[in-house]
Amino acid sequence: MLLSKNKIKFIKSLELKKNRKEAGLFVAEGNKLVNDNLPFMKCETLIATPEWYASNPDAKAPERITVTREELSKVSFLKSPQEVMGVFRQPVYTLDPNQLNEQLSLVLDTVQDPGNLGTIIRLADWFGIEHIICSPETVDCFSPKTVQATMGAIARVKVHYTPLIPFLKAMGDVPVYGTFLEGKNIYSEALSQTGLIVMGNEGKGISPDLRPYISKELHIPSYPLERETSESLNVAIATSIICAEFRRRS
């Protein structure tokens, strides 16, 4: 099957959130991303070079298009296209608060940068965190930049979007941790093996409306304490430090 102009136009349209949502699709590029997604996500279309198909004979999709690297560059979102692109069906997950009671999960409040979200999804995968609950204002996890930044973790981590206040209310007595500049030193506080870790917006932090639902406020101290340092940490870096400390205690 050839790569038609209409197919190029359609795939390019998936760069926009409204088109992805309407079609229920997203794009993954590169050998690792496509191969990581194939066992977990329904692939609608594979676009790849003959060499890639020869090296991946078991890769299946209802629509398989063979292209040259030059043709692939016409539809790619990358500056340096690789050998394969996959168009996948967006998974639909059920958010069950009861399911989260016995595990550690992340909650993201209006994280805006696609790279930050992708990195956080990758971190969650590394630290065995299965669920990320995002506010509706958080950037779309299926944007091309976010998917690329997950390095395949989008296939294994379930990302949910829901209004956070009703969600936190429904969680009952589950411990809810939040990061604040005036919070208590994370290295000296007791941490549970289960609960929710809330991470805030890159510039504004956690919304004031969410603060009443946070049961323990934490802070990552800089070192040495008396030295002037950067004002704050990038949200993805802060998430990595916090997740590592929770897992170190488990």
Side-chain angles (χ1 to χ4, degrees), residues 221-237:
S222 57
Y223 288 93
L225 295 177
E226 66 276 5
R227 185 173 67 86
E228 184 175 347
T229 62
S230 300
E231 182 181 355
S232 62
L233 291 171
N234 168 279
V235 64
I237 293 174

Side-chain angles (χ1 to χ4, degrees), residues 140-156:
D140 182 23
C141 67
F142 294 113
S143 73
K145 289 182 179 179
T146 300
V147 172
Q148 207 67 30
T150 70
M151 294 298 290
I154 191 72
R156 293 175 293 272

Side-chain angles (χ1 to χ4, degrees), residues 190-201:
L191 305 176
S192 64
Q193 297 182 21
T194 62
L196 304 172
I197 302 171
V198 182
M199 304 301 296
N201 173 264

